[in-house]
PDB file of all heavy atoms in Angstrom:
ATOM      1  N   ILE N   1       0.848  -1.242   0.023  1.00 91.00           N
ATOM      2  CA  ILE N   1       0.056   0.008  -0.037  1.00 91.00           C
ATOM      3  C   ILE N   1       0.878   1.247   0.010  1.00 91.00           C
ATOM      4  O   ILE N   1       0.541   2.288  -0.660  1.00 91.00           O
ATOM      5  CB  ILE N   1      -0.847  -0.030   1.223  1.00 91.00           C
ATOM      6  CG1 ILE N   1      -1.906  -1.154   1.192  1.00 91.00           C
ATOM      7  CG2 ILE N   1      -1.694   1.313   1.340  1.00 91.00           C
ATOM      8  CD1 ILE N   1      -2.794  -1.138   0.081  1.00 91.00           C
ATOM      9  N   PHE N   2       1.939   1.274   0.725  1.00 92.00           N
ATOM     10  CA  PHE N   2       2.748   2.390   1.032  1.00 92.00           C
ATOM     11  C   PHE N   2       3.760   2.754  -0.093  1.00 92.00           C
ATOM     12  O   PHE N   2       3.790   3.930  -0.517  1.00 92.00           O
ATOM     13  CB  PHE N   2       3.459   2.202   2.315  1.00 92.00           C
ATOM     14  CG  PHE N   2       4.219   3.365   2.815  1.00 92.00           C
ATOM     15  CD1 PHE N   2       3.589   4.385   3.685  1.00 92.00           C
ATOM     16  CD2 PHE N   2       5.547   3.531   2.545  1.00 92.00           C
ATOM     17  CE1 PHE N   2       4.275   5.425   4.142  1.00 92.00           C
ATOM     18  CE2 PHE N   2       6.258   4.578   3.065  1.00 92.00           C
ATOM     19  CZ  PHE N   2       5.610   5.566   3.778  1.00 92.00           C
ATOM     20  N   ASN N   3       4.449   1.815  -0.524  1.00 92.00           N
ATOM     21  CA  ASN N   3       5.615   2.048  -1.424  1.00 92.00           C
ATOM     22  C   ASN N   3       5.233   2.749  -2.760  1.00 92.00           C
ATOM     23  O   ASN N   3       4.411   2.245  -3.473  1.00 92.00           O
ATOM     24  CB  ASN N   3       6.357   0.735  -1.696  1.00 92.00           C
ATOM     25  CG  ASN N   3       7.024   0.154  -0.514  1.00 92.00           C
ATOM     26  OD1 ASN N   3       7.329   0.870   0.495  1.00 92.00           O
ATOM     27  ND2 ASN N   3       7.242  -1.171  -0.487  1.00 92.00           N
ATOM     28  N   GLY N   4       5.862   3.905  -2.870  1.00 93.00           N
ATOM     29  CA  GLY N   4       5.635   4.667  -4.137  1.00 93.00           C
ATOM     30  C   GLY N   4       4.350   5.319  -4.279  1.00 93.00           C
ATOM     31  O   GLY N   4       4.016   5.969  -5.298  1.00 93.00           O
ATOM     32  N   ASN N   5       3.479   5.362  -3.196  1.00 96.00           N
ATOM     33  CA  ASN N   5       2.238   5.951  -3.343  1.00 96.00           C
ATOM     34  C   ASN N   5       2.108   7.185  -2.489  1.00 96.00           C
ATOM     35  O   ASN N   5       2.706   7.316  -1.409  1.00 96.00           O
ATOM     36  CB  ASN N   5       1.142   4.979  -2.847  1.00 96.00           C
ATOM     37  CG  ASN N   5       0.799   3.921  -3.754  1.00 96.00           C
ATOM     38  OD1 ASN N   5       0.745   4.140  -4.995  1.00 96.00           O
ATOM     39  ND2 ASN N   5       0.629   2.683  -3.280  1.00 96.00           N
ATOM     40  N   PHE N   6       1.370   8.140  -2.987  1.00 98.00           N
ATOM     41  CA  PHE N   6       0.997   9.318  -2.168  1.00 98.00           C
ATOM     42  C   PHE N   6       0.055   8.787  -1.086  1.00 98.00           C
ATOM     43  O   PHE N   6      -0.752   7.838  -1.355  1.00 98.00           O
ATOM     44  CB  PHE N   6       0.194  10.319  -3.044  1.00 98.00           C
ATOM     45  CG  PHE N   6       0.952  11.203  -3.948  1.00 98.00           C
ATOM     46  CD1 PHE N   6       1.994  10.687  -4.679  1.00 98.00           C
ATOM     47  CD2 PHE N   6       0.699  12.599  -3.994  1.00 98.00           C
ATOM     48  CE1 PHE N   6       2.764  11.565  -5.457  1.00 98.00           C
ATOM     49  CE2 PHE N   6       1.493  13.360  -4.829  1.00 98.00           C
ATOM     50  CZ  PHE N   6       2.413  12.911  -5.595  1.00 98.00           C
ATOM     51  N   MET N   7       0.142   9.372   0.047  1.00 98.00           N
ATOM     52  CA  MET N   7      -0.649   8.917   1.226  1.00 98.00           C
ATOM     53  C   MET N   7      -1.373  10.088   1.791  1.00 98.00           C
ATOM     54  O   MET N   7      -1.001  11.280   1.646  1.00 98.00           O
ATOM     55  CB  MET N   7       0.191   8.295   2.293  1.00 98.00           C
ATOM     56  CG  MET N   7       0.908   7.028   1.905  1.00 98.00           C
ATOM     57  SD  MET N   7      -0.121   5.664   1.534  1.00 98.00           S
ATOM     58  CE  MET N   7      -0.884   5.336   3.157  1.00 98.00           C
ATOM     59  N   GLY N   8      -2.551   9.809   2.410  1.00 98.00           N
ATOM     60  CA  GLY N   8      -3.301  10.811   2.994  1.00 98.00           C
ATOM     61  C   GLY N   8      -3.876  10.526   4.375  1.00 98.00           C
ATOM     62  O   GLY N   8      -4.042   9.278   4.683  1.00 98.00           O
ATOM     63  N   TRP N   9      -4.120  11.535   5.199  1.00 98.00           N
ATOM     64  CA  TRP N   9      -4.947  11.378   6.341  1.00 98.00           C
ATOM     65  C   TRP N   9      -6.300  11.923   6.068  1.00 98.00           C
ATOM     66  O   TRP N   9      -6.472  12.943   5.501  1.00 98.00           O
ATOM     67  CB  TRP N   9      -4.255  12.182   7.544  1.00 98.00           C
ATOM     68  CG  TRP N   9      -3.142  11.441   8.161  1.00 98.00           C
ATOM     69  CD1 TRP N   9      -1.782  11.654   7.894  1.00 98.00           C
ATOM     70  CD2 TRP N   9      -3.263  10.422   9.203  1.00 98.00           C
ATOM     71  NE1 TRP N   9      -1.028  10.788   8.714  1.00 98.00           N
ATOM     72  CE2 TRP N   9      -1.866  10.034   9.461  1.00 98.00           C
ATOM     73  CE3 TRP N   9      -4.266   9.783   9.764  1.00 98.00           C
ATOM     74  CZ2 TRP N   9      -1.592   9.064  10.384  1.00 98.00           C
ATOM     75  CZ3 TRP N   9      -3.973   8.840  10.796  1.00 98.00           C
ATOM     76  CH2 TRP N   9      -2.649   8.444  11.021  1.00 98.00           C
ATOM     77  N   TYR N  10      -7.322  11.220   6.517  1.00 98.00           N
ATOM     78  CA  TYR N  10      -8.650  11.537   6.304  1.00 98.00           C
ATOM     79  C   TYR N  10      -9.319  11.414   7.702  1.00 98.00           C
ATOM     80  O   TYR N  10      -8.820  10.848   8.601  1.00 98.00           O
ATOM     81  CB  TYR N  10      -9.345  10.480   5.419  1.00 98.00           C
ATOM     82  CG  TYR N  10      -8.760  10.338   4.023  1.00 98.00           C
ATOM     83  CD1 TYR N  10      -7.632   9.565   3.820  1.00 98.00           C
ATOM     84  CD2 TYR N  10      -9.305  10.928   2.901  1.00 98.00           C
ATOM     85  CE1 TYR N  10      -7.034   9.393   2.589  1.00 98.00           C
ATOM     86  CE2 TYR N  10      -8.696  10.723   1.609  1.00 98.00           C
ATOM     87  CZ  TYR N  10      -7.663   9.981   1.490  1.00 98.00           C
ATOM     88  OH  TYR N  10      -7.045   9.811   0.201  1.00 98.00           O
ATOM     89  N   ARG N  11     -10.501  12.155   7.763  1.00 98.00           N
ATOM     90  CA  ARG N  11     -11.236  12.065   8.989  1.00 98.00           C
ATOM     91  C   ARG N  11     -12.747  12.062   8.804  1.00 98.00           C
ATOM     92  O   ARG N  11     -13.236  12.531   7.748  1.00 98.00           O
ATOM     93  CB  ARG N  11     -10.885  13.284   9.963  1.00 98.00           C
ATOM     94  CG  ARG N  11     -11.327  14.603   9.449  1.00 98.00           C
ATOM     95  CD  ARG N  11     -10.837  15.703  10.372  1.00 98.00           C
ATOM     96  NE  ARG N  11     -11.254  17.055   9.951  1.00 98.00           N
ATOM     97  CZ  ARG N  11     -10.846  18.186  10.568  1.00 98.00           C
ATOM     98  NH1 ARG N  11      -9.941  18.142  11.516  1.00 98.00           N
ATOM     99  NH2 ARG N  11     -11.267  19.349  10.097  1.00 98.00           N
ATOM    100  N   GLN N  12     -13.446  11.510   9.679  1.00 98.00           N
ATOM    101  CA  GLN N  12     -14.924  11.452   9.562  1.00 98.00           C
ATOM    102  C   GLN N  12     -15.521  11.707  10.876  1.00 98.00           C
ATOM    103  O   GLN N  12     -15.319  11.019  11.856  1.00 98.00           O
ATOM    104  CB  GLN N  12     -15.420  10.086   9.019  1.00 98.00           C
ATOM    105  CG  GLN N  12     -16.906  10.047   8.796  1.00 98.00           C
ATOM    106  CD  GLN N  12     -17.348   8.819   7.986  1.00 98.00           C
ATOM    107  OE1 GLN N  12     -16.631   7.790   8.007  1.00 98.00           O
ATOM    108  NE2 GLN N  12     -18.437   8.900   7.342  1.00 98.00           N
ATOM    109  N   ALA N  13     -16.238  12.875  10.995  1.00 97.00           N
ATOM    110  CA  ALA N  13     -16.920  13.227  12.133  1.00 97.00           C
ATOM    111  C   ALA N  13     -18.332  12.652  12.213  1.00 97.00           C
ATOM    112  O   ALA N  13     -18.867  12.348  11.060  1.00 97.00           O
ATOM    113  CB  ALA N  13     -17.036  14.772  12.212  1.00 97.00           C
ATOM    114  N   PRO N  14     -18.940  12.507  13.341  1.00 92.00           N
ATOM    115  CA  PRO N  14     -20.377  11.889  13.336  1.00 92.00           C
ATOM    116  C   PRO N  14     -21.336  12.664  12.413  1.00 92.00           C
ATOM    117  O   PRO N  14     -21.400  13.897  12.476  1.00 92.00           O
ATOM    118  CB  PRO N  14     -20.647  12.077  14.920  1.00 92.00           C
ATOM    119  CG  PRO N  14     -19.388  12.045  15.507  1.00 92.00           C
ATOM    120  CD  PRO N  14     -18.405  12.792  14.611  1.00 92.00           C
ATOM    121  N   GLY N  15     -22.010  11.924  11.649  1.00 95.00           N
ATOM    122  CA  GLY N  15     -22.956  12.540  10.763  1.00 95.00           C
ATOM    123  C   GLY N  15     -22.413  13.262   9.572  1.00 95.00           C
ATOM    124  O   GLY N  15     -23.210  13.886   8.791  1.00 95.00           O
ATOM    125  N   LYS N  16     -21.175  13.172   9.339  1.00 97.00           N
ATOM    126  CA  LYS N  16     -20.551  13.926   8.196  1.00 97.00           C
ATOM    127  C   LYS N  16     -19.808  12.906   7.328  1.00 97.00           C
ATOM    128  O   LYS N  16     -19.469  11.803   7.696  1.00 97.00           O
ATOM    129  CB  LYS N  16     -19.550  14.987   8.751  1.00 97.00           C
ATOM    130  CG  LYS N  16     -20.272  16.078   9.560  1.00 97.00           C
ATOM    131  CD  LYS N  16     -19.249  17.175   9.814  1.00 97.00           C
ATOM    132  CE  LYS N  16     -19.899  18.406  10.530  1.00 97.00           C
ATOM    133  NZ  LYS N  16     -18.921  19.443  10.847  1.00 97.00           N
ATOM    134  N   GLN N  17     -19.541  13.343   6.140  1.00 97.00           N
ATOM    135  CA  GLN N  17     -18.807  12.543   5.172  1.00 97.00           C
ATOM    136  C   GLN N  17     -17.238  12.548   5.556  1.00 97.00           C
ATOM    137  O   GLN N  17     -16.810  13.460   6.076  1.00 97.00           O
ATOM    138  CB  GLN N  17     -19.023  13.017   3.745  1.00 97.00           C
ATOM    139  CG  GLN N  17     -20.333  12.798   3.176  1.00 97.00           C
ATOM    140  CD  GLN N  17     -20.469  13.111   1.751  1.00 97.00           C
ATOM    141  OE1 GLN N  17     -19.728  13.992   1.255  1.00 97.00           O
ATOM    142  NE2 GLN N  17     -21.332  12.438   1.004  1.00 97.00           N
ATOM    143  N   ARG N  18     -16.662  11.496   5.174  1.00 97.00           N
ATOM    144  CA  ARG N  18     -15.167  11.376   5.325  1.00 97.00           C
ATOM    145  C   ARG N  18     -14.526  12.480   4.450  1.00 97.00           C
ATOM    146  O   ARG N  18     -14.925  12.718   3.319  1.00 97.00           O
ATOM    147  CB  ARG N  18     -14.664  10.020   4.980  1.00 97.00           C
ATOM    148  CG  ARG N  18     -13.164   9.827   5.295  1.00 97.00           C
ATOM    149  CD  ARG N  18     -12.935   8.363   5.049  1.00 97.00           C
ATOM    150  NE  ARG N  18     -13.465   7.444   6.086  1.00 97.00           N
ATOM    151  CZ  ARG N  18     -13.924   6.224   5.816  1.00 97.00           C
ATOM    152  NH1 ARG N  18     -13.932   5.830   4.630  1.00 97.00           N
ATOM    153  NH2 ARG N  18     -14.435   5.426   6.856  1.00 97.00           N
ATOM    154  N   GLU N  19     -13.599  13.179   4.964  1.00 98.00           N
ATOM    155  CA  GLU N  19     -12.875  14.224   4.247  1.00 98.00           C
ATOM    156  C   GLU N  19     -11.376  14.063   4.374  1.00 98.00           C
ATOM    157  O   GLU N  19     -10.796  13.492   5.295  1.00 98.00           O
ATOM    158  CB  GLU N  19     -13.286  15.583   4.828  1.00 98.00           C
ATOM    159  CG  GLU N  19     -12.839  15.806   6.215  1.00 98.00           C
ATOM    160  CD  GLU N  19     -13.212  17.255   6.663  1.00 98.00           C
ATOM    161  OE1 GLU N  19     -13.639  18.114   5.866  1.00 98.00           O
ATOM    162  OE2 GLU N  19     -12.993  17.520   7.922  1.00 98.00           O
ATOM    163  N   LEU N  20     -10.651  14.617   3.351  1.00 98.00           N
ATOM    164  CA  LEU N  20      -9.242  14.678   3.337  1.00 98.00           C
ATOM    165  C   LEU N  20      -8.735  15.690   4.267  1.00 98.00           C
ATOM    166  O   LEU N  20      -9.213  16.853   4.205  1.00 98.00           O
ATOM    167  CB  LEU N  20      -8.666  14.880   1.988  1.00 98.00           C
ATOM    168  CG  LEU N  20      -7.118  15.001   1.815  1.00 98.00           C
ATOM    169  CD1 LEU N  20      -6.570  13.565   2.049  1.00 98.00           C
ATOM    170  CD2 LEU N  20      -6.755  15.579   0.528  1.00 98.00           C
ATOM    171  N   VAL N  21      -7.771  15.286   5.134  1.00 98.00           N
ATOM    172  CA  VAL N  21      -7.158  16.352   5.998  1.00 98.00           C
ATOM    173  C   VAL N  21      -5.828  16.820   5.473  1.00 98.00           C
ATOM    174  O   VAL N  21      -5.550  17.983   5.463  1.00 98.00           O
ATOM    175  CB  VAL N  21      -6.969  15.725   7.414  1.00 98.00           C
ATOM    176  CG1 VAL N  21      -6.219  16.703   8.351  1.00 98.00           C
ATOM    177  CG2 VAL N  21      -8.314  15.322   8.000  1.00 98.00           C
ATOM    178  N   ALA N  22      -4.957  15.887   5.075  1.00 98.00           N
ATOM    179  CA  ALA N  22      -3.576  16.128   4.567  1.00 98.00           C
ATOM    180  C   ALA N  22      -3.110  15.087   3.657  1.00 98.00           C
ATOM    181  O   ALA N  22      -3.647  13.893   3.808  1.00 98.00           O
ATOM    182  CB  ALA N  22      -2.688  16.360   5.725  1.00 98.00           C
ATOM    183  N   ALA N  23      -2.282  15.410   2.774  1.00 98.00           N
ATOM    184  CA  ALA N  23      -1.715  14.421   1.839  1.00 98.00           C
ATOM    185  C   ALA N  23      -0.211  14.684   1.674  1.00 98.00           C
ATOM    186  O   ALA N  23       0.285  15.852   1.903  1.00 98.00           O
ATOM    187  CB  ALA N  23      -2.434  14.492   0.405  1.00 98.00           C
ATOM    188  N   ILE N  24       0.487  13.611   1.363  1.00 98.00           N
ATOM    189  CA  ILE N  24       1.967  13.754   1.106  1.00 98.00           C
ATOM    190  C   ILE N  24       2.317  12.903  -0.044  1.00 98.00           C
ATOM    191  O   ILE N  24       1.798  11.805  -0.289  1.00 98.00           O
ATOM    192  CB  ILE N  24       2.633  13.324   2.403  1.00 98.00           C
ATOM    193  CG1 ILE N  24       4.180  13.651   2.318  1.00 98.00           C
ATOM    194  CG2 ILE N  24       2.359  11.868   2.767  1.00 98.00           C
ATOM    195  CD1 ILE N  24       4.864  13.564   3.690  1.00 98.00           C
ATOM    196  N   GLY N  25       3.349  13.404  -0.813  1.00 98.00           N
ATOM    197  CA  GLY N  25       3.871  12.653  -1.967  1.00 98.00           C
ATOM    198  C   GLY N  25       4.683  11.483  -1.542  1.00 98.00           C
ATOM    199  O   GLY N  25       4.987  11.298  -0.395  1.00 98.00           O
ATOM    200  N   SER N  26       5.056  10.661  -2.475  1.00 96.00           N
ATOM    201  CA  SER N  26       5.755   9.503  -2.271  1.00 96.00           C
ATOM    202  C   SER N  26       7.176   9.632  -1.626  1.00 96.00           C
ATOM    203  O   SER N  26       7.628   8.807  -0.883  1.00 96.00           O
ATOM    204  CB  SER N  26       5.886   8.559  -3.524  1.00 96.00           C
ATOM    205  OG  SER N  26       6.529   9.335  -4.551  1.00 96.00           O
ATOM    206  N   SER N  27       7.788  10.761  -1.958  1.00 95.00           N
ATOM    207  CA  SER N  27       9.052  11.111  -1.392  1.00 95.00           C
ATOM    208  C   SER N  27       8.973  12.076  -0.301  1.00 95.00           C
ATOM    209  O   SER N  27       9.998  12.467   0.399  1.00 95.00           O
ATOM    210  CB  SER N  27       9.952  11.628  -2.492  1.00 95.00           C
ATOM    211  OG  SER N  27       9.525  12.840  -2.966  1.00 95.00           O
ATOM    212  N   GLY N  28       7.869  12.637  -0.058  1.00 93.00           N
ATOM    213  CA  GLY N  28       7.708  13.594   1.047  1.00 93.00           C
ATOM    214  C   GLY N  28       7.763  15.022   0.637  1.00 93.00           C
ATOM    215  O   GLY N  28       7.568  15.978   1.436  1.00 93.00           O
ATOM    216  N   GLY N  29       8.103  15.246  -0.650  1.00 94.00           N
ATOM    217  CA  GLY N  29       8.373  16.543  -1.173  1.00 94.00           C
ATOM    218  C   GLY N  29       7.088  17.399  -1.413  1.00 94.00           C
ATOM    219  O   GLY N  29       7.136  18.585  -1.486  1.00 94.00           O
ATOM    220  N   TYR N  30       6.000  16.654  -1.626  1.00 97.00           N
ATOM    221  CA  TYR N  30       4.712  17.347  -1.842  1.00 97.00           C
ATOM    222  C   TYR N  30       3.827  17.138  -0.615  1.00 97.00           C
ATOM    223  O   TYR N  30       3.722  16.011  -0.058  1.00 97.00           O
ATOM    224  CB  TYR N  30       4.006  16.721  -3.064  1.00 97.00           C
ATOM    225  CG  TYR N  30       2.550  17.072  -3.166  1.00 97.00           C
ATOM    226  CD1 TYR N  30       2.110  18.154  -3.794  1.00 97.00           C
ATOM    227  CD2 TYR N  30       1.569  16.189  -2.541  1.00 97.00           C
ATOM    228  CE1 TYR N  30       0.743  18.533  -3.952  1.00 97.00           C
ATOM    229  CE2 TYR N  30       0.247  16.508  -2.723  1.00 97.00           C
ATOM    230  CZ  TYR N  30      -0.146  17.632  -3.400  1.00 97.00           C
ATOM    231  OH  TYR N  30      -1.486  17.948  -3.494  1.00 97.00           O
ATOM    232  N   THR N  31       3.206  18.179  -0.122  1.00 98.00           N
ATOM    233  CA  THR N  31       2.235  18.101   0.922  1.00 98.00           C
ATOM    234  C   THR N  31       1.096  19.075   0.622  1.00 98.00           C
ATOM    235  O   THR N  31       1.282  20.056  -0.065  1.00 98.00           O
ATOM    236  CB  THR N  31       2.798  18.444   2.319  1.00 98.00           C
ATOM    237  OG1 THR N  31       3.319  19.836   2.277  1.00 98.00           O
ATOM    238  CG2 THR N  31       3.842  17.564   2.795  1.00 98.00           C
ATOM    239  N   ALA N  32      -0.043  18.702   1.097  1.00 98.00           N
ATOM    240  CA  ALA N  32      -1.283  19.478   0.944  1.00 98.00           C
ATOM    241  C   ALA N  32      -2.161  19.327   2.132  1.00 98.00           C
ATOM    242  O   ALA N  32      -2.172  18.294   2.679  1.00 98.00           O
ATOM    243  CB  ALA N  32      -2.003  19.089  -0.357  1.00 98.00           C
ATOM    244  N   TYR N  33      -2.916  20.428   2.468  1.00 98.00           N
ATOM    245  CA  TYR N  33      -3.728  20.450   3.703  1.00 98.00           C
ATOM    246  C   TYR N  33      -5.083  20.993   3.379  1.00 98.00           C
ATOM    247  O   TYR N  33      -5.280  21.906   2.478  1.00 98.00           O
ATOM    248  CB  TYR N  33      -3.083  21.205   4.726  1.00 98.00           C
ATOM    249  CG  TYR N  33      -1.728  20.734   5.123  1.00 98.00           C
ATOM    250  CD1 TYR N  33      -0.540  21.169   4.550  1.00 98.00           C
ATOM    251  CD2 TYR N  33      -1.668  19.692   6.179  1.00 98.00           C
ATOM    252  CE1 TYR N  33       0.657  20.670   4.888  1.00 98.00           C
ATOM    253  CE2 TYR N  33      -0.368  19.256   6.552  1.00 98.00           C
ATOM    254  CZ  TYR N  33       0.761  19.690   5.981  1.00 98.00           C
ATOM    255  OH  TYR N  33       1.997  19.157   6.335  1.00 98.00           O
ATOM    256  N   ALA N  34      -6.113  20.468   4.077  1.00 98.00           N
ATOM    257  CA  ALA N  34      -7.414  21.105   4.010  1.00 98.00           C
ATOM    258  C   ALA N  34      -7.310  22.539   4.626  1.00 98.00           C
ATOM    259  O   ALA N  34      -6.464  22.688   5.598  1.00 98.00           O
ATOM    260  CB  ALA N  34      -8.398  20.202   4.814  1.00 98.00           C
ATOM    261  N   ASP N  35      -8.083  23.413   4.163  1.00 98.00           N
ATOM    262  CA  ASP N  35      -7.978  24.816   4.702  1.00 98.00           C
ATOM    263  C   ASP N  35      -8.183  24.841   6.211  1.00 98.00           C
ATOM    264  O   ASP N  35      -7.576  25.667   6.903  1.00 98.00           O
ATOM    265  CB  ASP N  35      -9.011  25.705   4.027  1.00 98.00           C
ATOM    266  CG  ASP N  35      -8.643  26.002   2.640  1.00 98.00           C
ATOM    267  OD1 ASP N  35      -7.492  25.783   2.237  1.00 98.00           O
ATOM    268  OD2 ASP N  35      -9.484  26.470   1.818  1.00 98.00           O
ATOM    269  N   SER N  36      -9.051  23.967   6.737  1.00 98.00           N
ATOM    270  CA  SER N  36      -9.421  23.973   8.099  1.00 98.00           C
ATOM    271  C   SER N  36      -8.200  23.642   9.007  1.00 98.00           C
ATOM    272  O   SER N  36      -8.288  23.876  10.264  1.00 98.00           O
ATOM    273  CB  SER N  36     -10.617  23.073   8.340  1.00 98.00           C
ATOM    274  OG  SER N  36     -10.280  21.787   7.952  1.00 98.00           O
ATOM    275  N   VAL N  37      -7.190  22.973   8.458  1.00 98.00           N
ATOM    276  CA  VAL N  37      -5.978  22.564   9.319  1.00 98.00           C
ATOM    277  C   VAL N  37      -4.746  23.233   8.938  1.00 98.00           C
ATOM    278  O   VAL N  37      -3.750  23.020   9.620  1.00 98.00           O
ATOM    279  CB  VAL N  37      -5.924  20.978   9.296  1.00 98.00           C
ATOM    280  CG1 VAL N  37      -7.283  20.380   9.665  1.00 98.00           C
ATOM    281  CG2 VAL N  37      -5.439  20.523   7.999  1.00 98.00           C
TER     282      VAL N  37
END
């Protein structure tokens, strides 16, 4: 699952859809965040 893949942290609050919180590229050079965090 991990090797060579972008990875993300997601979250789901009660009664809400799952959302992306943060993402990172395969080498760590790329990162992205939800505005809220």
Side-chain angles (χ1 to χ4, degrees):
I1 297 297
F2 187 87
N3 291 337
N5 286 319
F6 281 43
M7 297 295 295
W9 279 99
Y10 303 78
R11 68 185 181 188
Q12 187 168 22
K16 295 187 177 181
Q17 288 189 332
R18 189 172 285 143
E19 62 176 353
L20 176 72
V21 175
I24 188 166
S26 57
S27 64
Y30 166 87
T31 58
Y33 298 91
D35 287 344
S36 59
V37 306

